[in-house]
Amino acid sequence: MALSEINLLSDNSNPLVVENFIGGNFVKCSKYLDSYNPSTGEVWAQIPDSDSNEVDEAVRHAKNAFPMWSSKTAAERARFLIKIAESIEENLEILAAAESRDQGKPVALAKRMDIPRAALNFRAFAESICHHLNISNSIPEMGCLNYTVRKPVGVAALISPWNLPLYLLTFKIAPALASGNCVVCKPSEVTSVTAWMLCKLAKDVGLPDGVLNMVFGTGLNAGEALINHKDVNVISFTGSTNVGRHIGQIAAKSIKKVSLELGGKNAGIILDDADLSKVIPATINSCFLNQGEICLCTSRIFVQRPIYEEFVQRLVQETKNLKVGPPTEDVFMGPLVSQLHLEKVQSYINIAREDGATILCGETVDELSLAAPYKKGYFIRPTIITGLADSSACMQEEIFGPVVCISPFDTEEEVIERVNNVKYGLCSAVWGQSGERLLRIAHKLHVGTVWINCWLIRSLDMPFGGMKESGIGREGTSHSLELYTEETTICYKF
Ligand code: NAD
């Protein structure tokens, strides 16, 4: 079935049936899982519930395809990736509609962010791989020439989460394929549809069979089988810290290469000279874009005391105006991804209440006056909380939803200490006017990325990743090579 023939209006009685993609063929599975439309709470797709049988087949095909794919030149491989990028761009509308329906994000956001970024992932890694493979030096006094060659690792297992489904999965597929590996992917069972669509595009552009394989299903069945497979040489995982910790242990036992992109508890720091007319809209984005379901979203805000009251009052006022509703409409926020996730987010708001906090805004679904089909959707309004101690679970643990806690601070030293006082270290955003002060703070934060007077501006050439329990490893056009290739030094004495 071509992409254009896929019926995105499928429903409970006629769900979309997703297939595994193994060895260049779309194959059915003996068992299926229900996948829910977060706007309505109805089943809209069925996802293969794969286990070790499907994973074995996929890994076997990837292993067989590896000698052929890895012996192509970087430029030859890049040509396939560019074709996939073009194909994603041509199918922007349907991919964005599917991503929105599956994940809950506004269609407009998927069109502006997720799908263009998926295309950019293929384009950027295709272009960069042609220039990044080898380095050399010489030791003239010993008559030696040293150089290194990078070789693909083999079969890569790529496991991704539900928040930016195609965006994050392609950030793994593109570098792995560009550098000559064959891949077996296991997307999140909560949002599998656009990964399946990508396989259709890859097949249409003639990507050789076995190079890209997609096995759908749960972490416990398909995921476990994949990370434990003896013929998998490298694992790239993006997801929660707990699952990442487990995957790290499995990888260590069999000495597989591994990269872990995990959770965060990101802080915004608003200094007393910050320009609030710029900070407020940017902070609303950083807290609530994609329903707050971005690992880089701000979930703690520290505001210097002289501007604390004004900041809180203006942020609450503008947040109350945000439109929440069905993601097909012109809204800022759609529903959360699942009932389970909605309950998790609500449980943190309850913890905040028990810890004596003030909930300044964040009405429940009833107050949204949603039309009938959406009454059972997983909607929640963006929530702002004040009055919590740093020790509260809401200030320490990842909530991963549209909830932010705000607290005042007095000195630079104090805020640095409080921002660093969590187990995570993914990113921070610092706002102010004095370059000296901003840089002094940025250098002392224990995080992988600091944005100064901005948020979520990403160049794929820059290393991306987290410190502490936010992960191990960095991804980017040159940094992903560390994971997906092995380097051999060759010392040639004349
Ligand atoms: P999750 O860890 O529950 O699942 C992620 C993926 O791992 C899914 O495909 C899941 O099926 C699979 N999985 C689960 N158990 C497994 C197992 N035992 N073996 C193999 N695979 C297994 O995470 P999630 O709920 O899908 O995503 C949310 C989390 O992802 C948040 O913590 C968020 O911060 C994190 N995240 C991090 C980044 C980053 O770049 N650091 C980006 C996006 C999301």
PDB file of all heavy atoms in Angstrom, residues 159-163 168 186-189 217-220 223-224 227 237-240 243 246-247 261-264 295 398 400 426 464 470, ligand 1:
ATOM      1  N   ILE A 159      16.458   2.011  19.403  1.00  0.00           N
ATOM      2  CA  ILE A 159      15.225   1.975  20.204  1.00  0.00           C
ATOM      3  C   ILE A 159      14.827   3.398  20.564  1.00  0.00           C
ATOM      4  O   ILE A 159      15.639   4.163  21.096  1.00  0.00           O
ATOM      5  CB  ILE A 159      15.450   1.128  21.475  1.00  0.00           C
ATOM      6  CG1 ILE A 159      15.900  -0.285  21.063  1.00  0.00           C
ATOM      7  CG2 ILE A 159      14.170   1.063  22.321  1.00  0.00           C
ATOM      8  CD1 ILE A 159      16.161  -1.217  22.209  1.00  0.00           C
ATOM      9  N   SER A 160      13.561   3.742  20.277  1.00  0.00           N
ATOM     10  CA  SER A 160      13.170   5.158  20.416  1.00  0.00           C
ATOM     11  C   SER A 160      11.877   5.316  21.215  1.00  0.00           C
ATOM     12  O   SER A 160      11.084   4.382  21.316  1.00  0.00           O
ATOM     13  CB  SER A 160      13.037   5.784  19.026  1.00  0.00           C
ATOM     14  OG  SER A 160      12.136   5.035  18.257  1.00  0.00           O
ATOM     15  N   PRO A 161      11.648   6.524  21.753  1.00  0.00           N
ATOM     16  CA  PRO A 161      10.468   6.791  22.589  1.00  0.00           C
ATOM     17  C   PRO A 161       9.300   7.370  21.778  1.00  0.00           C
ATOM     18  O   PRO A 161       9.381   7.470  20.556  1.00  0.00           O
ATOM     19  CB  PRO A 161      11.001   7.823  23.574  1.00  0.00           C
ATOM     20  CG  PRO A 161      11.959   8.619  22.765  1.00  0.00           C
ATOM     21  CD  PRO A 161      12.548   7.693  21.735  1.00  0.00           C
ATOM     22  N   TRP A 162       8.251   7.782  22.483  1.00  0.00           N
ATOM     23  CA  TRP A 162       7.009   8.186  21.820  1.00  0.00           C
ATOM     24  C   TRP A 162       6.850   9.689  21.647  1.00  0.00           C
ATOM     25  O   TRP A 162       5.884  10.135  21.050  1.00  0.00           O
ATOM     26  CB  TRP A 162       5.790   7.659  22.595  1.00  0.00           C
ATOM     27  CG  TRP A 162       5.826   7.926  24.088  1.00  0.00           C
ATOM     28  CD1 TRP A 162       6.089   6.999  25.053  1.00  0.00           C
ATOM     29  CD2 TRP A 162       5.617   9.164  24.772  1.00  0.00           C
ATOM     30  NE1 TRP A 162       6.060   7.587  26.297  1.00  0.00           N
ATOM     31  CE2 TRP A 162       5.773   8.919  26.159  1.00  0.00           C
ATOM     32  CE3 TRP A 162       5.312  10.475  24.366  1.00  0.00           C
ATOM     33  CZ2 TRP A 162       5.644   9.916  27.131  1.00  0.00           C
ATOM     34  CZ3 TRP A 162       5.190  11.472  25.332  1.00  0.00           C
ATOM     35  CH2 TRP A 162       5.363  11.187  26.689  1.00  0.00           C
ATOM     36  N   ASN A 163       7.743  10.502  22.184  1.00  0.00           N
ATOM     37  CA  ASN A 163       7.419  11.938  22.228  1.00  0.00           C
ATOM     38  C   ASN A 163       7.671  12.666  20.910  1.00  0.00           C
ATOM     39  O   ASN A 163       6.914  13.548  20.537  1.00  0.00           O
ATOM     40  CB  ASN A 163       8.156  12.621  23.382  1.00  0.00           C
ATOM     41  CG  ASN A 163       9.645  12.562  23.240  1.00  0.00           C
ATOM     42  OD1 ASN A 163      10.201  11.536  22.851  1.00  0.00           O
ATOM     43  ND2 ASN A 163      10.306  13.651  23.536  1.00  0.00           N
ATOM     44  N   LEU A 168      13.105  11.525  16.339  1.00  0.00           N
ATOM     45  CA  LEU A 168      14.193  10.899  17.099  1.00  0.00           C
ATOM     46  C   LEU A 168      14.662   9.595  16.474  1.00  0.00           C
ATOM     47  O   LEU A 168      15.851   9.268  16.526  1.00  0.00           O
ATOM     48  CB  LEU A 168      13.750  10.657  18.545  1.00  0.00           C
ATOM     49  CG  LEU A 168      13.626  11.928  19.380  1.00  0.00           C
ATOM     50  CD1 LEU A 168      13.054  11.609  20.758  1.00  0.00           C
ATOM     51  CD2 LEU A 168      14.966  12.624  19.541  1.00  0.00           C
ATOM     52  N   LYS A 186      13.333  -0.517  16.837  1.00  0.00           N
ATOM     53  CA  LYS A 186      12.170  -0.859  17.676  1.00  0.00           C
ATOM     54  C   LYS A 186      11.588   0.464  18.173  1.00  0.00           C
ATOM     55  O   LYS A 186      11.988   0.973  19.203  1.00  0.00           O
ATOM     56  CB  LYS A 186      12.630  -1.741  18.842  1.00  0.00           C
ATOM     57  CG  LYS A 186      11.611  -2.743  19.345  1.00  0.00           C
ATOM     58  CD  LYS A 186      10.316  -2.146  19.842  1.00  0.00           C
ATOM     59  CE  LYS A 186      10.412  -1.532  21.210  1.00  0.00           C
ATOM     60  NZ  LYS A 186       9.217  -0.713  21.529  1.00  0.00           N
ATOM     61  N   PRO A 187      10.643   1.045  17.397  1.00  0.00           N
ATOM     62  CA  PRO A 187      10.033   2.307  17.836  1.00  0.00           C
ATOM     63  C   PRO A 187       9.142   2.059  19.054  1.00  0.00           C
ATOM     64  O   PRO A 187       8.801   0.918  19.354  1.00  0.00           O
ATOM     65  CB  PRO A 187       9.178   2.725  16.640  1.00  0.00           C
ATOM     66  CG  PRO A 187       9.542   1.813  15.525  1.00  0.00           C
ATOM     67  CD  PRO A 187      10.094   0.567  16.132  1.00  0.00           C
ATOM     68  N   SER A 188       8.720   3.142  19.686  1.00  0.00           N
ATOM     69  CA  SER A 188       7.806   2.993  20.828  1.00  0.00           C
ATOM     70  C   SER A 188       6.505   2.339  20.378  1.00  0.00           C
ATOM     71  O   SER A 188       5.941   2.691  19.333  1.00  0.00           O
ATOM     72  CB  SER A 188       7.491   4.357  21.439  1.00  0.00           C
ATOM     73  OG  SER A 188       6.421   4.206  22.346  1.00  0.00           O
ATOM     74  N   GLU A 189       6.006   1.415  21.180  1.00  0.00           N
ATOM     75  CA  GLU A 189       4.731   0.748  20.884  1.00  0.00           C
ATOM     76  C   GLU A 189       3.570   1.727  20.964  1.00  0.00           C
ATOM     77  O   GLU A 189       2.470   1.456  20.483  1.00  0.00           O
ATOM     78  CB  GLU A 189       4.502  -0.432  21.842  1.00  0.00           C
ATOM     79  CG  GLU A 189       4.462  -0.089  23.329  1.00  0.00           C
ATOM     80  CD  GLU A 189       5.844  -0.088  23.985  1.00  0.00           C
ATOM     81  OE1 GLU A 189       6.812   0.382  23.341  1.00  0.00           O
ATOM     82  OE2 GLU A 189       5.950  -0.527  25.144  1.00  0.00           O
ATOM     83  N   GLY A 217       6.580  -3.486  18.612  1.00  0.00           N
ATOM     84  CA  GLY A 217       6.140  -4.263  19.763  1.00  0.00           C
ATOM     85  C   GLY A 217       6.583  -3.628  21.067  1.00  0.00           C
ATOM     86  O   GLY A 217       7.081  -2.492  21.094  1.00  0.00           O
ATOM     87  N   THR A 218       6.422  -4.376  22.140  1.00  0.00           N
ATOM     88  CA  THR A 218       6.714  -3.804  23.461  1.00  0.00           C
ATOM     89  C   THR A 218       8.202  -3.886  23.784  1.00  0.00           C
ATOM     90  O   THR A 218       8.955  -4.668  23.184  1.00  0.00           O
ATOM     91  CB  THR A 218       5.966  -4.592  24.555  1.00  0.00           C
ATOM     92  OG1 THR A 218       6.463  -5.935  24.555  1.00  0.00           O
ATOM     93  CG2 THR A 218       4.467  -4.594  24.327  1.00  0.00           C
ATOM     94  N   GLY A 219       8.582  -3.101  24.795  1.00  0.00           N
ATOM     95  CA  GLY A 219       9.960  -3.163  25.267  1.00  0.00           C
ATOM     96  C   GLY A 219      10.274  -4.533  25.853  1.00  0.00           C
ATOM     97  O   GLY A 219      11.357  -5.073  25.641  1.00  0.00           O
ATOM     98  N   LEU A 220       9.297  -5.086  26.562  1.00  0.00           N
ATOM     99  CA  LEU A 220       9.568  -6.352  27.258  1.00  0.00           C
ATOM    100  C   LEU A 220       9.738  -7.522  26.296  1.00  0.00           C
ATOM    101  O   LEU A 220      10.532  -8.431  26.561  1.00  0.00           O
ATOM    102  CB  LEU A 220       8.445  -6.659  28.250  1.00  0.00           C
ATOM    103  CG  LEU A 220       8.510  -5.831  29.539  1.00  0.00           C
ATOM    104  CD1 LEU A 220       7.408  -6.247  30.499  1.00  0.00           C
ATOM    105  CD2 LEU A 220       9.882  -5.980  30.219  1.00  0.00           C
ATOM    106  N   GLY A 223      11.802  -5.426  22.471  1.00  0.00           N
ATOM    107  CA  GLY A 223      12.974  -4.662  22.921  1.00  0.00           C
ATOM    108  C   GLY A 223      14.009  -5.549  23.592  1.00  0.00           C
ATOM    109  O   GLY A 223      15.198  -5.508  23.258  1.00  0.00           O
ATOM    110  N   GLU A 224      13.548  -6.365  24.525  1.00  0.00           N
ATOM    111  CA  GLU A 224      14.480  -7.258  25.245  1.00  0.00           C
ATOM    112  C   GLU A 224      15.184  -8.201  24.275  1.00  0.00           C
ATOM    113  O   GLU A 224      16.388  -8.445  24.385  1.00  0.00           O
ATOM    114  CB  GLU A 224      13.719  -8.085  26.289  1.00  0.00           C
ATOM    115  CG  GLU A 224      13.481  -7.372  27.594  1.00  0.00           C
ATOM    116  CD  GLU A 224      14.750  -7.135  28.420  1.00  0.00           C
ATOM    117  OE1 GLU A 224      15.670  -7.962  28.389  1.00  0.00           O
ATOM    118  OE2 GLU A 224      14.808  -6.086  29.081  1.00  0.00           O
ATOM    119  N   ILE A 227      17.938  -6.166  22.363  1.00  0.00           N
ATOM    120  CA  ILE A 227      19.172  -5.752  23.073  1.00  0.00           C
ATOM    121  C   ILE A 227      20.002  -6.951  23.504  1.00  0.00           C
ATOM    122  O   ILE A 227      21.205  -6.858  23.669  1.00  0.00           O
ATOM    123  CB  ILE A 227      18.873  -4.840  24.298  1.00  0.00           C
ATOM    124  CG1 ILE A 227      17.962  -5.548  25.304  1.00  0.00           C
ATOM    125  CG2 ILE A 227      18.299  -3.510  23.856  1.00  0.00           C
ATOM    126  CD1 ILE A 227      17.749  -4.767  26.590  1.00  0.00           C
ATOM    127  N   PHE A 237      19.914   3.984  22.277  1.00  0.00           N
ATOM    128  CA  PHE A 237      18.638   4.031  22.992  1.00  0.00           C
ATOM    129  C   PHE A 237      18.293   5.457  23.377  1.00  0.00           C
ATOM    130  O   PHE A 237      19.131   6.187  23.928  1.00  0.00           O
ATOM    131  CB  PHE A 237      18.733   3.173  24.266  1.00  0.00           C
ATOM    132  CG  PHE A 237      17.532   3.319  25.166  1.00  0.00           C
ATOM    133  CD1 PHE A 237      16.347   2.654  24.880  1.00  0.00           C
ATOM    134  CD2 PHE A 237      17.577   4.123  26.303  1.00  0.00           C
ATOM    135  CE1 PHE A 237      15.229   2.793  25.709  1.00  0.00           C
ATOM    136  CE2 PHE A 237      16.463   4.268  27.137  1.00  0.00           C
ATOM    137  CZ  PHE A 237      15.288   3.594  26.828  1.00  0.00           C
ATOM    138  N   THR A 238      17.071   5.869  23.125  1.00  0.00           N
ATOM    139  CA  THR A 238      16.540   7.106  23.701  1.00  0.00           C
ATOM    140  C   THR A 238      15.264   6.756  24.440  1.00  0.00           C
ATOM    141  O   THR A 238      14.368   6.124  23.872  1.00  0.00           O
ATOM    142  CB  THR A 238      16.254   8.158  22.613  1.00  0.00           C
ATOM    143  OG1 THR A 238      17.480   8.461  21.948  1.00  0.00           O
ATOM    144  CG2 THR A 238      15.705   9.447  23.214  1.00  0.00           C
ATOM    145  N   GLY A 239      15.197   7.136  25.713  1.00  0.00           N
ATOM    146  CA  GLY A 239      14.019   6.823  26.510  1.00  0.00           C
ATOM    147  C   GLY A 239      14.270   7.162  27.967  1.00  0.00           C
ATOM    148  O   GLY A 239      15.088   8.042  28.288  1.00  0.00           O
ATOM    149  N   SER A 240      13.575   6.455  28.840  1.00  0.00           N
ATOM    150  CA  SER A 240      13.638   6.806  30.262  1.00  0.00           C
ATOM    151  C   SER A 240      14.949   6.330  30.899  1.00  0.00           C
ATOM    152  O   SER A 240      15.587   5.392  30.412  1.00  0.00           O
ATOM    153  CB  SER A 240      12.458   6.170  30.986  1.00  0.00           C
ATOM    154  OG  SER A 240      12.560   4.764  30.886  1.00  0.00           O
ATOM    155  N   VAL A 243      14.899   2.480  32.054  1.00  0.00           N
ATOM    156  CA  VAL A 243      15.128   1.503  30.980  1.00  0.00           C
ATOM    157  C   VAL A 243      16.565   1.638  30.464  1.00  0.00           C
ATOM    158  O   VAL A 243      17.234   0.642  30.189  1.00  0.00           O
ATOM    159  CB  VAL A 243      14.086   1.674  29.845  1.00  0.00           C
ATOM    160  CG1 VAL A 243      14.406   0.758  28.683  1.00  0.00           C
ATOM    161  CG2 VAL A 243      12.687   1.386  30.364  1.00  0.00           C
ATOM    162  N   HIS A 246      18.962  -0.254  32.588  1.00  0.00           N
ATOM    163  CA  HIS A 246      18.870  -1.693  32.318  1.00  0.00           C
ATOM    164  C   HIS A 246      19.613  -2.033  31.013  1.00  0.00           C
ATOM    165  O   HIS A 246      20.386  -2.997  30.948  1.00  0.00           O
ATOM    166  CB  HIS A 246      17.388  -2.063  32.240  1.00  0.00           C
ATOM    167  CG  HIS A 246      17.125  -3.425  31.702  1.00  0.00           C
ATOM    168  ND1 HIS A 246      17.449  -4.565  32.406  1.00  0.00           N
ATOM    169  CD2 HIS A 246      16.584  -3.845  30.522  1.00  0.00           C
ATOM    170  CE1 HIS A 246      17.107  -5.633  31.681  1.00  0.00           C
ATOM    171  NE2 HIS A 246      16.586  -5.220  30.541  1.00  0.00           N
ATOM    172  N   ILE A 247      19.391  -1.223  29.987  1.00  0.00           N
ATOM    173  CA  ILE A 247      20.028  -1.495  28.691  1.00  0.00           C
ATOM    174  C   ILE A 247      21.550  -1.375  28.819  1.00  0.00           C
ATOM    175  O   ILE A 247      22.306  -2.179  28.259  1.00  0.00           O
ATOM    176  CB  ILE A 247      19.458  -0.551  27.602  1.00  0.00           C
ATOM    177  CG1 ILE A 247      18.016  -0.993  27.299  1.00  0.00           C
ATOM    178  CG2 ILE A 247      20.311  -0.555  26.344  1.00  0.00           C
ATOM    179  CD1 ILE A 247      17.277  -0.165  26.284  1.00  0.00           C
ATOM    180  N   GLU A 261      20.402   8.135  25.613  1.00  0.00           N
ATOM    181  CA  GLU A 261      19.853   9.500  25.718  1.00  0.00           C
ATOM    182  C   GLU A 261      18.633   9.384  26.620  1.00  0.00           C
ATOM    183  O   GLU A 261      17.619   8.815  26.216  1.00  0.00           O
ATOM    184  CB  GLU A 261      19.428  10.034  24.351  1.00  0.00           C
ATOM    185  CG  GLU A 261      20.542  10.179  23.329  1.00  0.00           C
ATOM    186  CD  GLU A 261      21.437  11.371  23.569  1.00  0.00           C
ATOM    187  OE1 GLU A 261      21.247  12.083  24.578  1.00  0.00           O
ATOM    188  OE2 GLU A 261      22.358  11.582  22.761  1.00  0.00           O
ATOM    189  N   LEU A 262      18.714   9.925  27.835  1.00  0.00           N
ATOM    190  CA  LEU A 262      17.710   9.599  28.851  1.00  0.00           C
ATOM    191  C   LEU A 262      16.941  10.839  29.332  1.00  0.00           C
ATOM    192  O   LEU A 262      16.897  11.846  28.650  1.00  0.00           O
ATOM    193  CB  LEU A 262      18.412   8.874  30.002  1.00  0.00           C
ATOM    194  CG  LEU A 262      19.312   7.705  29.552  1.00  0.00           C
ATOM    195  CD1 LEU A 262      20.041   7.087  30.718  1.00  0.00           C
ATOM    196  CD2 LEU A 262      18.517   6.663  28.783  1.00  0.00           C
ATOM    197  N   GLY A 263      16.379  10.747  30.509  1.00  0.00           N
ATOM    198  CA  GLY A 263      15.473  11.779  31.005  1.00  0.00           C
ATOM    199  C   GLY A 263      16.171  13.069  31.422  1.00  0.00           C
ATOM    200  O   GLY A 263      17.397  13.173  31.406  1.00  0.00           O
ATOM    201  N   GLY A 264      15.348  14.041  31.820  1.00  0.00           N
ATOM    202  CA  GLY A 264      15.906  15.324  32.244  1.00  0.00           C
ATOM    203  C   GLY A 264      15.034  15.995  33.294  1.00  0.00           C
ATOM    204  O   GLY A 264      13.880  15.595  33.517  1.00  0.00           O
ATOM    205  N   CYS A 295      12.122  15.968  25.897  1.00  0.00           N
ATOM    206  CA  CYS A 295      13.102  15.726  26.974  1.00  0.00           C
ATOM    207  C   CYS A 295      13.803  17.025  27.374  1.00  0.00           C
ATOM    208  O   CYS A 295      14.321  17.131  28.471  1.00  0.00           O
ATOM    209  CB  CYS A 295      14.116  14.686  26.529  1.00  0.00           C
ATOM    210  SG  CYS A 295      14.970  15.163  25.017  1.00  0.00           S
ATOM    211  N   GLU A 398      11.487  13.624  36.886  1.00  0.00           N
ATOM    212  CA  GLU A 398      11.004  14.021  35.567  1.00  0.00           C
ATOM    213  C   GLU A 398       9.488  13.796  35.483  1.00  0.00           C
ATOM    214  O   GLU A 398       9.010  12.693  35.738  1.00  0.00           O
ATOM    215  CB  GLU A 398      11.700  13.197  34.484  1.00  0.00           C
ATOM    216  CG  GLU A 398      11.307  13.636  33.097  1.00  0.00           C
ATOM    217  CD  GLU A 398      11.946  12.787  32.006  1.00  0.00           C
ATOM    218  OE1 GLU A 398      11.878  11.550  32.105  1.00  0.00           O
ATOM    219  OE2 GLU A 398      12.483  13.374  31.054  1.00  0.00           O
ATOM    220  N   PHE A 400       7.630  15.129  32.621  1.00  0.00           N
ATOM    221  CA  PHE A 400       7.506  14.916  31.178  1.00  0.00           C
ATOM    222  C   PHE A 400       6.115  15.276  30.655  1.00  0.00           C
ATOM    223  O   PHE A 400       5.535  14.569  29.833  1.00  0.00           O
ATOM    224  CB  PHE A 400       7.852  13.458  30.830  1.00  0.00           C
ATOM    225  CG  PHE A 400       8.455  13.324  29.453  1.00  0.00           C
ATOM    226  CD1 PHE A 400       9.531  14.100  29.075  1.00  0.00           C
ATOM    227  CD2 PHE A 400       7.942  12.424  28.529  1.00  0.00           C
ATOM    228  CE1 PHE A 400      10.092  13.998  27.813  1.00  0.00           C
ATOM    229  CE2 PHE A 400       8.490  12.314  27.251  1.00  0.00           C
ATOM    230  CZ  PHE A 400       9.567  13.096  26.911  1.00  0.00           C
ATOM    231  N   LEU A 426      20.579  17.252  31.567  1.00  0.00           N
ATOM    232  CA  LEU A 426      20.373  17.303  30.113  1.00  0.00           C
ATOM    233  C   LEU A 426      20.606  18.702  29.538  1.00  0.00           C
ATOM    234  O   LEU A 426      21.481  18.905  28.706  1.00  0.00           O
ATOM    235  CB  LEU A 426      18.966  16.792  29.788  1.00  0.00           C
ATOM    236  CG  LEU A 426      18.700  16.408  28.341  1.00  0.00           C
ATOM    237  CD1 LEU A 426      19.741  15.440  27.809  1.00  0.00           C
ATOM    238  CD2 LEU A 426      17.304  15.808  28.192  1.00  0.00           C
ATOM    239  N   PHE A 464      25.046  16.481  20.963  1.00  0.00           N
ATOM    240  CA  PHE A 464      23.817  16.477  21.751  1.00  0.00           C
ATOM    241  C   PHE A 464      23.835  15.279  22.692  1.00  0.00           C
ATOM    242  O   PHE A 464      24.104  14.154  22.279  1.00  0.00           O
ATOM    243  CB  PHE A 464      22.585  16.373  20.841  1.00  0.00           C
ATOM    244  CG  PHE A 464      21.319  16.245  21.636  1.00  0.00           C
ATOM    245  CD1 PHE A 464      20.743  17.369  22.194  1.00  0.00           C
ATOM    246  CD2 PHE A 464      20.750  15.012  21.886  1.00  0.00           C
ATOM    247  CE1 PHE A 464      19.602  17.260  22.978  1.00  0.00           C
ATOM    248  CE2 PHE A 464      19.614  14.891  22.664  1.00  0.00           C
ATOM    249  CZ  PHE A 464      19.041  16.024  23.211  1.00  0.00           C
ATOM    250  N   SER A 470      21.182  11.615  32.831  1.00  0.00           N
ATOM    251  CA  SER A 470      20.553  11.964  31.548  1.00  0.00           C
ATOM    252  C   SER A 470      21.224  11.241  30.385  1.00  0.00           C
ATOM    253  O   SER A 470      20.790  11.398  29.235  1.00  0.00           O
ATOM    254  CB  SER A 470      20.596  13.472  31.307  1.00  0.00           C
ATOM    255  OG  SER A 470      19.687  14.116  32.168  1.00  0.00           O
TER     256      SER A 470
HETATM  257  P1  NAD B   1      10.708   4.249  27.805  1.00  0.00           P
HETATM  258  O1  NAD B   1      12.068   4.108  28.392  1.00  0.00           O
HETATM  259  O2  NAD B   1       9.565   3.675  28.543  1.00  0.00           O
HETATM  260  O3  NAD B   1      10.665   3.552  26.359  1.00  0.00           O
HETATM  261  C1  NAD B   1      11.569   3.933  25.331  1.00  0.00           C
HETATM  262  C2  NAD B   1      11.695   2.778  24.356  1.00  0.00           C
HETATM  263  O4  NAD B   1      12.322   1.696  25.028  1.00  0.00           O
HETATM  264  C3  NAD B   1      10.368   2.249  23.831  1.00  0.00           C
HETATM  265  O5  NAD B   1      10.517   1.890  22.478  1.00  0.00           O
HETATM  266  C4  NAD B   1      10.145   1.019  24.692  1.00  0.00           C
HETATM  267  O6  NAD B   1       9.333   0.036  24.082  1.00  0.00           O
HETATM  268  C5  NAD B   1      11.569   0.513  24.835  1.00  0.00           C
HETATM  269  N1  NAD B   1      11.800  -0.368  25.990  1.00  0.00           N
HETATM  270  C6  NAD B   1      11.159  -0.351  27.181  1.00  0.00           C
HETATM  271  N2  NAD B   1      11.650  -1.341  27.972  1.00  0.00           N
HETATM  272  C7  NAD B   1      12.625  -1.962  27.264  1.00  0.00           C
HETATM  273  C8  NAD B   1      13.496  -3.050  27.540  1.00  0.00           C
HETATM  274  N3  NAD B   1      13.466  -3.703  28.692  1.00  0.00           N
HETATM  275  N4  NAD B   1      14.368  -3.419  26.587  1.00  0.00           N
HETATM  276  C9  NAD B   1      14.422  -2.777  25.408  1.00  0.00           C
HETATM  277  N5  NAD B   1      13.613  -1.745  25.083  1.00  0.00           N
HETATM  278  C10 NAD B   1      12.725  -1.341  26.001  1.00  0.00           C
HETATM  279  O7  NAD B   1      10.530   5.797  27.499  1.00  0.00           O
HETATM  280  P2  NAD B   1       9.238   6.522  26.912  1.00  0.00           P
HETATM  281  O8  NAD B   1       8.212   6.595  27.980  1.00  0.00           O
HETATM  282  O9  NAD B   1       8.906   5.942  25.594  1.00  0.00           O
HETATM  283  O10 NAD B   1       9.823   7.987  26.626  1.00  0.00           O
HETATM  284  C11 NAD B   1       9.899   8.989  27.578  1.00  0.00           C
HETATM  285  C12 NAD B   1      11.311   9.101  28.119  1.00  0.00           C
HETATM  286  O11 NAD B   1      12.231   9.311  27.061  1.00  0.00           O
HETATM  287  C13 NAD B   1      11.477  10.301  29.042  1.00  0.00           C
HETATM  288  O12 NAD B   1      12.216   9.896  30.162  1.00  0.00           O
HETATM  289  C14 NAD B   1      12.272  11.288  28.211  1.00  0.00           C
HETATM  290  O13 NAD B   1      13.054  12.198  28.932  1.00  0.00           O
HETATM  291  C15 NAD B   1      13.125  10.370  27.427  1.00  0.00           C
HETATM  292  N6  NAD B   1      13.650  11.034  26.238  1.00  0.00           N
HETATM  293  C16 NAD B   1      14.964  11.408  26.222  1.00  0.00           C
HETATM  294  C17 NAD B   1      15.475  12.076  25.124  1.00  0.00           C
HETATM  295  C18 NAD B   1      16.913  12.498  25.051  1.00  0.00           C
HETATM  296  O14 NAD B   1      17.373  12.809  23.959  1.00  0.00           O
HETATM  297  N7  NAD B   1      17.648  12.509  26.156  1.00  0.00           N
HETATM  298  C19 NAD B   1      14.633  12.374  24.038  1.00  0.00           C
HETATM  299  C20 NAD B   1      13.290  11.991  24.115  1.00  0.00           C
HETATM  300  C21 NAD B   1      12.802  11.327  25.214  1.00  0.00           C
END
